[in-house]
């Protein structure tokens, strides 16, 4: 069977409504069409999935078209599964083209991007110069533990395109699904294949330039950042990180891991570990480190507020509120003992009226977590850590962001 060419937008809406009556129909959490890279030695192994467009809790009309196109191509969807993956076929593309017919002439620029994907696939398949098994249509019907490389990448895209909020996507088990590969530009290469062909590749002058060996690619291999966002060294940001417009990531000690990032313009010259989030207008100084869920926070993700400064080579292991300063070279961890004078305590309390505090002048870092307007300093004589009400406004250079 085949989908008859739809003549109008009203007919398209009726077609979508009818498709949603399909037995077991469920709206997907996310979906898209991916081009997959397979292993050079084991072609059954998928190393990477590249999505020209992902849909996350949106575009259900296009999802219905893809579902109907699969069904009319002889493929039954399993709506009860957490994820469903099918190989793109000529029949699938033809059916989707018929369903999208009212919008084919309008599909360019920012208009009808799912239609643009199908149109370009139609051109590729017509050229007969592609491997049809390299294209997959992917549906996620629940945000469960991913079961495939395609599902992991769709979720990483959702984070890095800011379609999903940081920490909101289930990536449990992702490391076990992804293959550790040698990256040569955008191409993943099986390490076993490289070892097997090392002699001939080197003697033939064909040994590839390897930029990294990792399970994750770099962000810029898949994501086009906002115009005013700068990443001065591609290795400093991993796929799955989220960079808000205006963020600058400097070379050197800077690094942003997956499922971590910024919520506004931020200067990054230090490390933002996995699951750490930095607020707008903040400055992560050179060599500063925000601990991740696997590096000393007992699994508690760290959030840094807005207009906060982490001094060079400082370490932060507790959440900080807005307008805070951590002086260069000091560590504020959950168990760090911090002394506060009565005068400064009253000022801090005034800035945080709902703070429930113990009756003491020595506080653990965990007790101060999330408070606004604190300046952490180290006494240069005694070495003790002290907290003051911050009087300095942290401002980024607007010319740079």
């Amino acid at each position: 069977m085949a989908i008859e060419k739809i003549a109008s937008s009203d007919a398209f809406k009726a077609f979508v409504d009818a498709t949603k009556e399909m037995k077991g129909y469920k709206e997907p959490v996310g979906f898209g069409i991916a081009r997959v890279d397979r292993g050079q030695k084991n072609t059954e192994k998928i190393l990477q999935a590249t999505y020209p467009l992902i849909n996350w809790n949106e575009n259900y009309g296009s999802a219905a078209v893809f579902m109907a196109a699969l069904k009319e191509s002889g493929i039954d969807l399993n709506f009860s599964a957490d994820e469903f993956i099918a190989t793109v076929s000529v029949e699938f593309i033809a059916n989707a083209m018929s369903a999208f017919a009212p919008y084919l002439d309008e599909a360019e620029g920012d208009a009808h991007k799912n239609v643009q994907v199908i149109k370009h696939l139609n051109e590729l398949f017509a050229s007969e110069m592609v491997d049809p098994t390299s294209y997959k249509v992917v549906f996620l019907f629940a945000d469960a533990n991913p079961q495939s490389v395609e599902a992991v990448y769709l979720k990483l895209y959702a984070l890095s395109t800011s379609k999903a909020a940081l920490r909101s996507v289930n990536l449990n088990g992702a490391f076990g699904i992804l293959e550790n590969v040698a990256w040569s530009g955008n191409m993943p290469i099986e390490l076993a294949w490289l070892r097997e062909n090392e002699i001939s590749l080197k003697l033939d002058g064909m040994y590839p330039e390897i930029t990294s060996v990792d399970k994750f690619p770099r962000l810029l291999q898949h994501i086009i950042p906002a115009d005013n966002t700068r990443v001065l060294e591609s290795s400093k940001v991993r796929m799955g990180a989220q960079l808000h417009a205006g963020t600058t990531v400097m070379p050197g000690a800077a690094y942003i891991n997956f499922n971590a990032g910024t919520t506004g313009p931020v200067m990054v010259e230090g490390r933002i570990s996995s699951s750490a989030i930095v607020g707008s207008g903040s400055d992560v100084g050179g060599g500063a480190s925000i601990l991740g869920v696997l590096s000393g926070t007992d699994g508690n993700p760290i959030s840094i507020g807005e207009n906060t400064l982490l001094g060079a080579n400082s370490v932060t292991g507790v959440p900080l509120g807005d307008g805070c300063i951590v002086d260069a070279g000091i560590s504020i961890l959950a168990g760090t003992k911090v002394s506060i004078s009565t005068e400064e305590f009253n000022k801090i309390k005034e800035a945080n009226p709902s703070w429930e505090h113990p009756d003491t002048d020595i506080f653990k870092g965990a007790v101060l977590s999330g408070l606004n307007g604190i300046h952490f300093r180290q006494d240069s004589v005694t070495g003790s850590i002290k907290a003051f009400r911050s009087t300095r406004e942290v401002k980024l250079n607007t010319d740079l962001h």
Side-chain angles (χ1 to χ4, degrees):
M1 296 178 66
I3 296 174
E4 293 185 5
K5 186 176 179 180
I6 294 176
S8 67
S9 58
D10 287 341
F12 177 82
K13 292 175 183 176
F15 171 82
V16 168
D17 290 340
T19 300
K20 290 181 178 181
E21 297 300 318
M22 189 186 304
K23 183 178 180 180
Y25 172 83
K26 186 189 299 183
E27 289 186 339
V29 173
F31 70 96
I33 293 177
R35 180 189 179 279
V36 298
D37 290 304
R38 297 179 179 274
Q40 293 79 10
K41 182 179 172 65
N42 180 0
T43 57
E44 295 300 312
K45 187 182 295 181
I46 292 177
L47 307 182
Q48 175 181 226
T50 301
Y51 290 86
L53 174 72
I54 68 118
N55 306 270
W56 195 259
N57 292 317
E58 61 183 341
N59 298 329
Y60 299 119
S62 293
V65 168
F66 290 175
M67 292 173 185
L70 286 173
K71 181 180 179 182
E72 297 302 327
S73 303
I75 297 174
D76 290 325
L77 274 83
N78 180 4
F79 290 104
S80 64
D82 294 330
E83 61 187 67
F84 181 85
I85 301 170
T87 300
V88 171
S89 65
V90 172
E91 293 78 15
F92 167 82
I93 296 171
N95 280 309
M97 288 283 287
S98 294
F100 281 138
Y103 308 105
L104 292 177
D105 292 338
E106 304 171 13
E108 59 182 30
D110 290 329
H112 307 299
K113 288 194 171 182
N114 282 298
V115 182
Q116 292 180 47
V117 171
I118 293 297
K119 282 179 67 177
H120 194 71
L121 279 174
N122 188 53
E123 294 170 4
L124 286 175
F125 276 61
S127 71
E128 298 182 350
M129 296 183 65
V130 298
D131 175 3
T133 65
S134 294
Y135 297 90
K136 304 285 185 180
V137 56
V138 182
F139 292 95
L140 301 185
F141 291 112
D143 186 22
N145 294 1
Q147 302 165 24
S148 65
V149 172
E150 295 93 330
V152 172
Y153 271 83
L154 197 153
K155 292 186 174 192
L156 293 177
Y157 267 90
L159 291 169
S160 289
T161 57
S162 299
K163 291 192 172 186
L166 290 168
R167 302 181 193 154
S168 69
V169 175
N170 183 348
L171 286 167
N172 293 336
F175 271 90
I177 292 170
L178 300 183
E179 185 81 7
N180 200 36
V181 298
W183 293 94
S184 180
N186 283 358
M187 176 62 66
I189 305 173
E190 282 184 285
L191 293 171
W193 183 87
L194 271 182
R195 295 188 188 100
E196 202 171 86
N197 294 275
E198 180 180 10
I199 291 174
S200 60
L201 286 169
K202 289 181 175 178
L203 288 176
D204 293 341
M206 299 296 291
Y207 190 80
E209 178 185 358
I210 305 301
T211 54
S212 63
V213 176
D214 194 4
K215 291 173 178 280
F216 285 70
R218 298 171 178 182
L219 176 85
L220 296 182
Q221 290 172 220
H222 288 266
I223 302 298
I224 302 171
D227 289 347
N228 61 339
T229 298
R230 295 189 296 155
V231 179
L232 278 68
E233 190 175 326
S234 64
S235 64
K236 297 302 180 181
V237 189
R238 216 175 188 190
M239 181 62 178
Q242 190 173 112
L243 302 185
H244 193 280
T247 295
T248 294
V249 184
M250 298 296 285
Y255 185 72
I256 304 179
N257 210 336
F258 77 98
N259 202 23
T262 63
T263 62
V266 171
M267 173 59 77
V268 182
E269 297 183 87
R271 179 180 179 85
I272 303 177
S273 299
S274 181
S275 297
I277 300 176
V278 181
S280 179
S282 292
D283 187 335
V284 183
S289 183
I290 305 170
L291 299 186
V293 292
L294 300 178
S295 55
T297 68
D298 294 327
N300 300 313
I302 302 299
S303 293
I304 304 298
E306 298 185 355
N307 304 111
T308 284
L309 171 64
L310 306 183
N313 296 319
S314 63
V315 177
T316 302
V318 296
L320 300 178
D322 299 336
C324 292
I325 299 175
V326 179
D327 273 4
I330 68 173
S331 298
I332 305 300
L333 307 176
T336 301
K337 292 183 178 179
V338 182
S339 62
I340 306 177
S341 69
T342 300
E343 180 182 0
E344 294 300 322
F345 171 85
N346 290 333
K347 294 178 182 177
I348 292 171
K349 176 64 177 175
E350 183 179 359
N352 300 275
S354 61
W355 176 37
E356 296 183 3
H357 55 82
D359 186 15
T360 179
D361 57 358
I362 303 292
F363 300 83
K364 285 188 175 182
V367 177
L368 304 175
S369 66
L371 297 184
N372 300 319
I374 297 184
H375 187 167
F376 294 94
R377 300 165 61 182
Q378 185 171 34
D379 190 305
S380 60
V381 176
T382 66
S384 64
I385 304 297
K386 296 184 176 182
F388 300 81
R389 176 67 172 91
S390 177
T391 58
R392 175 183 165 192
E393 184 180 8
V394 176
K395 269 191 170 184
L396 298 179
N397 186 335
T398 54
D399 291 338
L400 299 177
H401 298 269

